[in-house]
């Protein structure tokens, strides 16, 4: 009997590592593909158009998806808990969210941009389908964890291809950028719906009203977190009128690499919420966080040490912002730790359905403090120092950004992670993270870029990517050699995989 129990626990741990790692790796590949679109947008759009595009797809969307932010937790948990009516209610809600986003998008775009009527309509439709896709993505995240990464891979491949064709081969217009984005979200949403069609068709349509009502009642737990959580997105919205479009464009360029690498791990770590909720296994969750950090750490460190090369790949006109790149990449490490801890904390709330609302309300209430401090400090900087050189303002922005996530890690771990788990994090994760940072830093110093930054895209990519990948591969080999746990997990993972074949 004990043997069977141990076998089941081992199987669960391997499954958690398999799902989390697979999601991270597949999503990382999609991120690399997405770099094509990111670079094309930064190079082909003038700073004013680039700032408008990023404001719409990164900041206005945050306000337009407030309903989803209120309901996403319950959509995810209800599907994980296999509650009746969860699937079909999610689809109904997706259409409600689409209409809301379209209205809010039009209002914000009229206020912030001076674009043509056609561009405004296409932009509003683009972010409305972006929100629709986010709802479908949330349902797939809960129902089919690995399939989510595949969906993202399909979306980003389509998105990058369309952006490249539109801006590089046709015309560098803002209208075409939004049109490409719109088409990619429509097609990806259709694919997502197709993947869950069976579960939607078999779901209980009679429970739609009650399910949506429960989500609405439960939204009081997330309302504070959502309301205050929108505060950080005010950063670019405040900077745009106070300092100008150039610093907003530079902010999105200099933080984009850290955002892409961070997002690739966050998709994998999102599974920890479901895993801890089902099993209560904190040790494996911490191990997954460690593995996720290990996968992206050499790339982050290489970018930290050679930020000018990163900027030149995006667009040399932003070279003055290269120092800020290092701060955003350092912050990405803290952001990944913060997300992992937050998912573990969310999974540790064991109550079912909206009974979990009280725990999440407390988490959201305390979790807002770093965001308030962040935006207050930024507003102070933008108002008091707006006459300073832009590179200095952006550098301060990067430092304040770092402080925000450091505070978030401290608050979440102190108030919402069991003390014995915090002790495990301190003893298990922190020493290895510091060791791996040191190893990667030494390798990055030895394996330098192949030449000086130039204005030629392919040459700059070659100079940075080839030694960067060599450094990463050597780093992974060293980690496998010195870490017995990773060797064991890798061996079990491959053994399990070969059995399936």
């Amino acid at each position: 009997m004990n043997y069977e129990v141990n076998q089941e626990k081992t199987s669960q741990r391997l499954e958690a590592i398999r799902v989390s790692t697979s999601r991270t790796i597949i999503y990382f590949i999609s991120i690399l593909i997405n770099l094509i679109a990111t670079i094309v947008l930064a190079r082909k759009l003038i700073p004013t158009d680039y700032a408008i595009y990023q404001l719409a797809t990164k900041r206005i969307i945050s306000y337009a998806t407030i309903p989803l932010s209120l309901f996403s937790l319950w959509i995810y948990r209800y599907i994980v808990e296999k509650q009746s009516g969860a699937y079909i209610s999610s689809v109904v809600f997706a259409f409600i969210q689409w209409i809301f986003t379209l209205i809010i998008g039009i209002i914000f775009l009229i206020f912030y941009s001076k674009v043509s009527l056609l561009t405004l309509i296409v932009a509003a439709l683009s972010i409305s389908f972006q929100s629709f896709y986010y709802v479908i993505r949330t349902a797939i995240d809960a129902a089919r964890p690995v399939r989510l990464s595949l969906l993202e891979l399909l979306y980003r491949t389509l998105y990058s291809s369309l952006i490249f064709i539109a801006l590089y081969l046709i015309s560098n217009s803002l209208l075409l950028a939004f049109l490409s984005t719109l088409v990619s979200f429509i097609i990806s949403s259709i694919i997502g719906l197709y993947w869950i069609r069976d579960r939607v068709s078999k779901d209980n349509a009679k429970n739609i009203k009650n399910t949506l009502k429960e989500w609405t009642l439960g939204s009081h737990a997330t309302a504070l977190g959502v309301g205050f959580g929108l505060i950080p997105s005010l950063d670019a919205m405040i900077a745009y009128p106070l300092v100008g479009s150039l610093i907003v464009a530079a902010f999105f360029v200099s933080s984009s690499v850290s955002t892409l690498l961070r997002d690739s791990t966050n998709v994998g770590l999102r599974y920890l919420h479901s895993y801890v909720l089902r099993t209560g296994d904190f040790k494996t969750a911490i191990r997954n966080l460690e593995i996720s950090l290990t996968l992206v750490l050499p790339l982050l460190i290489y970018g930290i040490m050679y930020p000018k090369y990163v900027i030149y790949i995006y667009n040399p006109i932003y070279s003055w912002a290269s120092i800020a790149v290092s701060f955003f990449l350092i912050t990405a490490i803290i952001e990944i730790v913060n997300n992992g801890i937050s998912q573990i904390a969310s999974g540790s709330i064991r109550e079912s359905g909206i009974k979990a609302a009280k725990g999440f309300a407390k988490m959201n209430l305390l979790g807002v403090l770093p965001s308030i401090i962040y935006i207050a400090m930024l507003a102070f900087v933008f108002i008091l120092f707006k006459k300073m050189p832009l590179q200095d303002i952006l550098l301060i922005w990067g430092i304040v950004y770092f402080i925000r996530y450091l505070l978030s890690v401290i608050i979440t771990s102190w108030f919402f992670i069991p003390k014995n788990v915090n002790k495990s994090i301190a003893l298990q994760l922190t020493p290895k993270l510091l060791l791996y940072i040191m190893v990667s830093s030494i390798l990055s110093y030895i394996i330098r870029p192949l030449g000086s930054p130039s204005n030629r895209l392919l040459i700059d990519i070659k100079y940075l990517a080839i030694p960067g990948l060599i450094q990463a591969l050597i780093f992974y080999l060293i980690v496998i050699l010195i870490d017995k746990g990773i060797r064991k997990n890798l061996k079990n993972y491959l053994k399990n995989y070969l059995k399936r074949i």
Side-chain angles (χ1 to χ4, degrees):
M1 185 70 177
N2 288 334
Y3 174 76
E4 291 178 356
V5 171
N6 289 333
Q7 282 290 97
E8 184 179 352
K9 287 183 178 179
T10 301
S11 178
Q12 286 179 340
R13 286 196 295 269
L14 286 173
E15 181 68 8
I17 292 171
R18 183 189 72 82
V19 172
S20 182
T21 305
S22 297
R23 280 161 60 103
T24 298
I25 291 172
I26 295 171
Y27 198 81
F28 178 69
I29 294 169
S30 70
I31 289 296
L32 292 178
I33 294 171
N34 194 81
L35 272 174
I36 297 170
T38 307
I39 293 168
V40 169
L41 287 166
R43 279 182 168 259
K44 301 301 287 185
L45 293 180
I46 61 174
T48 302
D49 285 351
Y50 183 74
I52 292 170
Y53 181 85
Q54 294 294 345
L55 277 175
T57 58
K58 296 290 196 306
R59 290 298 184 263
I60 294 176
I61 190 66
S62 298
Y63 293 91
T65 52
I66 287 175
L68 174 59
S69 299
L70 292 170
F71 283 25
S72 62
L73 173 68
W74 306 117
I75 292 172
Y76 183 83
R77 286 178 73 98
Y78 268 55
I79 290 176
V80 169
E81 295 168 355
K82 299 181 180 179
Q83 301 267 8
S84 177
Y87 284 101
I88 196 166
S89 297
S90 300
V91 176
V92 170
F93 175 73
F95 284 99
I96 297 171
Q97 175 62 76
W98 183 89
I99 295 169
F100 182 85
T101 304
L102 185 64
I103 296 169
I104 296 300
I106 290 172
I107 294 171
F108 270 95
L109 286 165
I110 289 173
F111 181 78
Y112 270 96
S113 65
K114 296 178 181 179
V115 295
S116 67
L117 178 61
L118 180 59
T119 301
L120 188 145
I121 292 171
V122 173
L125 285 171
S126 175
I127 61 174
S128 65
F129 273 100
Q130 184 177 355
S131 70
F132 185 91
Y133 171 74
Y134 284 174
V135 180
I136 302 304
R137 189 178 68 175
T138 302
I140 292 175
D141 188 14
R144 310 188 72 172
V146 176
R147 189 62 69 90
L148 171 68
S149 295
L150 293 173
L151 180 62
E152 279 291 301
L153 180 60
L154 289 170
Y155 155 66
R156 291 178 186 273
T157 301
L158 179 63
Y159 170 66
S160 294
S161 301
L162 291 174
I163 287 290
F164 180 82
I165 292 169
L167 298 190
Y168 246 103
L169 303 182
I170 301 176
S171 172
N172 55 343
S173 75
L174 183 61
L175 172 61
L176 286 179
F178 278 119
L179 185 61
S180 301
T181 308
L182 170 62
V183 173
S184 62
F185 276 122
I186 290 175
I187 294 174
S188 301
S189 297
I190 292 171
I191 293 171
L193 285 170
Y194 178 78
W195 281 349
I196 59 171
R197 71 193 187 286
D198 291 339
R199 302 189 187 197
V200 173
S201 63
K202 293 176 183 177
D203 207 5
N204 190 352
K206 294 180 181 179
N207 282 346
I208 293 175
K209 186 177 179 181
N210 286 336
T211 301
L212 291 174
K213 183 180 178 181
E214 287 182 12
W215 291 352
T216 304
L217 292 172
S219 66
H220 78 275
T222 53
L224 283 174
V226 170
F228 288 118
L230 289 170
I231 291 175
S233 65
L234 288 170
D235 52 8
M237 310 292 274
I238 293 173
Y240 193 88
L242 288 179
V243 190
S245 60
L246 184 57
I247 196 168
V248 173
F251 165 74
F252 284 114
V253 168
S254 58
S255 63
S256 62
V257 176
S258 61
T259 301
L260 292 171
L261 291 172
R262 176 203 67 200
D263 287 350
S264 68
T265 60
N266 286 353
V267 167
L269 293 174
R270 176 66 185 266
Y271 179 69
L272 298 186
H273 180 163
S274 169
Y275 179 76
V276 174
L277 177 64
R278 289 185 290 106
T279 66
D281 181 6
F282 291 100
K283 185 177 180 180
T284 301
I286 296 169
R287 190 63 173 167
N288 271 277
L289 174 55
E290 178 192 323
I291 292 171
S292 295
L293 275 166
T294 304
L295 286 171
V296 298
L297 196 60
L299 303 175
L300 288 169
I301 297 298
Y302 207 76
I304 289 168
M305 295 190 68
Y306 304 107
K308 194 171 183 179
Y309 290 84
V310 175
I311 283 289
Y312 265 71
I313 288 174
Y314 279 88
N315 197 328
I317 68 170
Y318 299 105
S319 59
W320 54 271
S322 60
I323 299 177
V325 172
S326 294
F327 277 91
F328 286 116
L329 288 170
I330 291 169
T331 304
I333 299 172
I334 307 299
E335 286 182 85
I336 293 167
V337 173
N338 178 63
N339 185 57
I341 290 174
S342 297
Q343 297 300 335
I344 292 170
S346 296
S348 68
I349 299 174
R350 310 291 293 174
E351 291 82 3
S352 178
I354 60 170
K355 293 178 182 179
K358 185 178 179 181
F360 284 106
K362 182 182 177 182
M363 186 181 295
N364 289 326
L365 187 61
L366 284 174
V368 74
L369 292 177
S371 298
I372 294 175
I373 293 170
Y374 169 67
I375 208 67
M377 291 175 70
L378 274 188
F380 176 79
V381 170
F382 291 152
I383 293 171
L384 199 65
F385 302 115
K386 63 180 180 179
K387 298 297 183 182
M388 286 177 65
L390 289 183
Q391 62 187 40
D392 294 336
I393 297 176
L394 188 62
L395 184 58
I396 297 172
W397 193 342
I399 294 169
V400 175
Y401 193 82
F402 172 83
I403 292 171
R404 168 194 168 192
Y405 280 100
L406 184 61
L407 287 173
S408 184
V409 168
I410 293 170
I411 290 172
T412 304
S413 59
W414 182 265
F415 290 101
F416 303 106
I417 299 291
K419 285 184 171 55
N420 62 316
V421 178
N422 267 331
K423 186 178 179 180
S424 295
I425 292 172
L427 296 176
Q428 178 180 333
L429 182 64
T430 307
K432 285 188 178 179
L433 179 58
L434 293 174
L435 174 63
Y436 293 162
I437 288 174
M438 183 182 71
V439 170
S440 184
S441 298
I442 293 170
L443 288 173
S444 298
Y445 180 77
I446 295 170
I447 307 170
R448 298 170 179 265
L450 299 176
S452 300
S454 69
N455 289 322
R456 300 175 65 182
L457 175 60
L458 294 179
I459 290 177
D460 287 330
I461 291 175
K462 181 180 74 172
Y463 284 173
L464 184 68
I466 292 175
L469 290 174
I470 291 171
Q471 179 262 162
L473 289 172
I474 296 172
F475 172 83
Y476 296 143
L477 288 173
I478 292 172
V479 169
I480 291 170
L481 287 172
I482 66 176
D483 194 312
K484 182 180 177 181
I486 284 183
R487 285 202 308 276
K488 182 180 178 182
N489 285 322
L490 182 62
K491 182 180 177 181
N492 289 332
Y493 179 84
L494 291 173
K495 186 178 179 182
N496 195 310
Y497 179 77
L498 290 172
K499 280 183 179 179
R500 294 188 176 198
I501 294 175

